[in-house]
Amino acid sequence: MLTALLGATGVLALLTLVPGPDMAIVTKRAVTRGRADGLRTVAGIAVGLLLWGALTVAGLAALLAASADVYLVVKLAGAAYLCWLGLRALLRPGAEAADGRAVDGRSAGERSAGAGGAWRTGLVANVLNPKIAVFYTGLLPALAPPGLRPAVGMALLVLVHVLLTVVWLGTYVYVLSRAGRFFARPRVRRALDRTTGVVLIGFGVRVATS
């Protein structure tokens, strides 16, 4: 069982390292709003994965993956959300100040709202990604370690995947924060906003057409 679990962890690690919409969103939040905002976005993504994992173990995600109409609705909603994030970054490049400047002149309530915005951004982007449902329902049963009940094995792999995601994206946020001075330059921030905007729109189109 341990060998099977290690093999499944390796597969999940490789899939976690593949760049996707989550990384683009984390990049945007971490660079424009700072390390704390980036980590809150990662937390939102982790909660989204846990929600999909709970639905998978309960068998509801399989129903979503099998229902073409419901899958299409969720897919288009997710694509629209990614495109909206991308358009906002393109239309307002550099509008969001870096973390140290973002809090200047704002009340504690406004700062708290911004923190909630980061968490919600990660959560919504992940919840509106039906490919997670397909990924979990299609792959996890095949990777579940033998000797455990299927529901227990899939729940264990979901927790492993969430842990890998948090470690990977959290480390990525830390690396970005170390280069904070470089990214704080207005010209660099505007260029990054345009780049992440195009990337997010590209992911949105890809989700909608796949």
Side-chain angles (χ1 to χ4, degrees), residues 129-184:
N129 184 1
K131 290 189 175 181
I132 298 295
V134 176
F135 166 63
Y136 276 2
T137 58
L139 184 62
L140 292 191
L143 294 177
L148 296 175
R149 289 191 297 115
V152 174
M154 288 192 293
L156 178 60
L157 292 183
V158 168
L159 293 177
V160 169
H161 184 223
V162 172
L163 178 61
L164 290 171
T165 299
V166 170
V167 171
W168 166 239
L169 291 180
T171 302
Y172 179 63
V173 168
Y174 178 78
V175 171
L176 289 176
S177 69
R178 297 293 292 178
R181 289 186 179 181
F182 173 76
F183 288 118

Side-chain angles (χ1 to χ4, degrees), residues 2-205:
L2 180 60
T3 302
L5 180 59
L6 291 176
T9 300
V11 173
L12 293 174
L14 290 175
L15 293 173
T16 302
L17 293 176
V18 176
D22 288 347
M23 180 172 283
I25 292 171
V26 168
T27 301
K28 176 70 168 59
R29 299 293 306 200
V31 170
T32 60
R33 307 290 289 184
R35 183 192 303 177
D37 228 51
L39 292 176
R40 293 186 189 102
T41 306
V42 174
I45 291 169
V47 172
L49 290 175
L50 287 173
L51 288 175
W52 277 121
L55 290 174
T56 300
V57 173
L60 298 179
L63 295 177
L64 170 63
S67 174
D69 291 338
V70 177
Y71 180 86
L72 179 63
V73 170
V74 176
K75 181 177 75 169
L76 293 179
Y81 184 67
L82 290 175
C83 289
W84 176 73
L85 291 175
L87 284 172
R88 190 171 65 170
L90 283 176
L91 295 175
R92 300 178 59 203
E96 296 181 75
D99 187 57
R101 296 171 57 190
V103 298
D104 292 343
R106 296 198 305 170
S107 67
E110 289 173 319
R111 291 195 293 272
S112 177
W119 188 86
R120 285 191 301 271
T121 297
L123 175 64
V124 173
N126 203 271
V127 168
L128 292 180
N129 184 1
K131 290 189 175 181
I132 298 295
V134 176
F135 166 63
Y136 276 2
T137 58
L139 184 62
L140 292 191
L143 294 177
L148 296 175
R149 289 191 297 115
V152 174
M154 288 192 293
L156 178 60
L157 292 183
V158 168
L159 293 177
V160 169
H161 184 223
V162 172
L163 178 61
L164 290 171
T165 299
V166 170
V167 171
W168 166 239
L169 291 180
T171 302
Y172 179 63
V173 168
Y174 178 78
V175 171
L176 289 176
S177 69
R178 297 293 292 178
R181 289 186 179 181
F182 173 76
F183 288 118
R185 299 174 184 175
R187 181 179 299 178
V188 173
R189 197 161 59 242
R190 287 193 296 270
L192 182 67
D193 275 353
R194 294 188 180 100
T195 301
T196 54
V198 171
V199 170
L200 286 170
I201 291 173
F203 278 124
V205 173

